[in-house]
Amino acid sequence: MEAQHPPRAERLAPHREHVAEGCGAVEPKDAGGVARPRAGAAGCRAHADARGNEDDEAVREQLEMSAPHGRGWARASAVHSGRRVILRAYADRRRYQHALQAIALAALLAGCGGGGSSAPSITVGAARTYTISSFAPSRPVRAGVPTRVSFTILQPDGKPLTEFKRGPGPHTGVHLIIVRRDLATIVHRHPPVGPGGRISETITFTEPGPYRVVVDVYPKTAGPVPNFQLFSKLTVAGPYAPQQLPPLRPVEVVDGYRFVLHGTPHLHAVEPGFLDFTVTTPGGAPARFTTWYGALAHAIFFRRGSLDYFHTHVCAPGASGCTSVFGAAKVTGTSATPGRLKVGVLVPVPGTWRLFLQCRLDGRVLTAPFTLEVK
């Protein structure tokens, strides 16, 4: 309303009409559930301007707001008779604050469909994303029996994904990782892609129980995201007794090979960190790593309970396609000498994590598990 009035001029006397008429005590009126006053007809003759600051401008058109109960609209009209509230451009805002609030609320209801008026309905469909289709097996399988695990990855347009990244390094194709819910055992494969994008791999599960299936996909695209994960589950029939995660043990022996973690880990979520390992043969000599799925070693991380997942790699110096990324953080593990591994750690959230350190030694793939606390 200030924008509709010209700048303040000289002090003017009150309008004669309002000096002559009464403006009695404020009477409560509730229009549409919003309490606002109306000025009565008595009481102003004795003291028309008690504060001495309400005659800065001449009185102009008087504004009366009507907001009927249960309606989402308001009406303003100029009147010259009856009981009313007079709003001046420079009047005391505290005295008429209730009227200003009523005007604002009435306008808000008119614009937002409040008070029973109908508003248009907008329906937002589900986002179109990559999905796993026709996953098998769909029924529980038996431990110790070779099982064919197969599926197809569907693109957002519903067509099978058939093109994947190729080349040096481990960040290619499809990583199939299956872990038991208590993090006691893990399966890690890079299955081939068949005709029509069908992906299949034969796996023999050694332990019964519920498993989570992680499909880590590197599609052949030019987008900013190099890979993404899809998830499924399967059950291996038989009695399942969940195992408690053991505390961190700095030394793990697997088939006679000795994996030693040096120092005390101080790890934080979303911050790159490194763990130094020494691996020796059963005879005590430094182990010699050979490339397996594009890397000298794979570090697979799962969080206890939620089974959050992350995956890093250890490569020879100068190898390409080995850096793991999470947001703006990056980490690259290296191995410059036989028997030494510098494992990169970059996990998304704090908690207790299980590291499955995998490498191929003398033609065999070995898995050394470690429990890590991440702050």
Side-chain angles (χ1 to χ4, degrees):
M1 296 183 65
E2 292 180 358
Q4 298 177 2
H5 289 286
R8 178 169 58 182
E10 60 181 330
R11 296 176 67 90
L12 301 177
H15 195 285
R16 62 185 181 184
E17 176 185 5
H18 304 297
V19 173
E21 78 168 7
C23 57
V26 172
E27 300 173 359
K29 181 178 179 181
D30 192 0
V34 179
R36 70 177 182 88
R38 296 191 59 174
C44 280
R45 292 186 183 91
H47 202 170
D49 187 4
R51 301 191 184 192
N53 57 3
E54 298 173 6
D55 56 352
D56 290 352
E57 286 192 332
V59 177
R60 300 185 184 274
E61 293 285 298
Q62 301 163 22
L63 184 64
E64 181 178 71
M65 297 298 302
S66 298
H69 181 71
R71 301 291 182 88
W73 53 273
R75 180 184 65 187
S77 59
V79 295
H80 289 282
S81 61
R83 300 175 181 176
R84 54 195 177 268
V85 173
I86 302 171
L87 301 182
R88 296 175 173 85
Y90 295 92
D92 186 357
R93 297 310 194 268
R94 291 173 297 179
R95 183 171 181 179
Y96 297 117
Q97 185 177 8
H98 44 261
L100 297 174
Q101 292 174 346
I103 294 171
L105 182 57
L108 178 64
L109 293 176
C112 297
S117 62
S118 61
S121 177
I122 300 176
T123 301
V124 179
R128 301 174 66 183
T129 61
Y130 288 86
T131 57
I132 292 179
S133 175
S134 304
F135 181 84
S138 58
R139 297 180 180 179
V141 300
R142 294 172 56 192
V145 177
T147 301
R148 194 72 171 170
V149 177
S150 60
F151 54 91
T152 301
I153 300 173
L154 297 183
Q155 302 177 84
D157 61 4
K159 297 179 181 179
L161 178 63
T162 58
E163 297 292 331
F164 299 87
K165 290 182 179 178
R166 303 297 180 189
H171 294 171
T172 60
V174 176
H175 299 225
L176 176 62
I177 302 170
I178 305 175
V179 65
R180 203 169 77 162
R181 180 157 293 280
D182 63 354
L183 304 181
T185 182
I186 190 173
V187 176
H188 177 205
R189 302 288 176 83
H190 285 207
V193 180
R198 190 67 177 171
I199 300 170
S200 299
E201 183 76 11
T202 299
I203 299 173
T204 300
F205 295 93
T206 59
E207 300 291 339
Y211 286 77
R212 189 182 201 200
V213 179
V214 179
V215 181
D216 202 346
V217 186
Y218 288 82
K220 187 179 180 181
T221 61
V225 180
N227 67 313
F228 59 86
Q229 292 83 43
L230 301 173
F231 304 92
S232 187
K233 60 183 178 180
L234 60 82
T235 301
V236 178
Y240 169 56
Q243 300 180 18
Q244 295 293 326
L245 281 186
L248 172 64
R249 293 192 296 255
V251 179
E252 293 287 346
V253 179
V254 182
D255 289 350
Y257 288 82
R258 185 180 177 89
F259 292 76
V260 179
L261 172 61
H262 300 278
T264 302
H266 297 283
L267 303 174
H268 294 81
V270 202
E271 292 184 11
F274 292 94
L275 302 175
D276 291 323
F277 287 91
T278 298
V279 185
T280 55
T281 66
R288 292 187 176 273
F289 310 107
T290 55
T291 301
W292 176 60
Y293 292 152
L296 297 180
H298 296 253
I300 304 173
F301 302 85
F302 279 97
R303 185 174 182 266
R304 181 177 63 184
S306 64
L307 297 186
D308 293 324
Y309 156 85
F310 202 77
H311 194 162
T312 65
H313 302 94
V314 178
C315 295
S320 61
C322 199
T323 299
S324 297
V325 180
F326 183 79
K330 300 179 181 180
V331 67
T332 304
T334 58
S335 176
T337 60
R340 297 300 299 267
L341 295 173
K342 188 175 184 179
V343 177
V345 180
L346 179 57
V347 295
V349 292
T352 301
W353 289 76
R354 190 69 160 168
L355 162 62
F356 296 95
L357 181 60
Q358 295 186 315
C359 51
R360 186 162 65 180
L361 302 171
D362 297 327
R364 294 181 297 171
V365 177
L366 303 181
T367 302
F370 293 86
T371 301
L372 303 174
E373 296 296 333
V374 180
K375 297 182 180 179

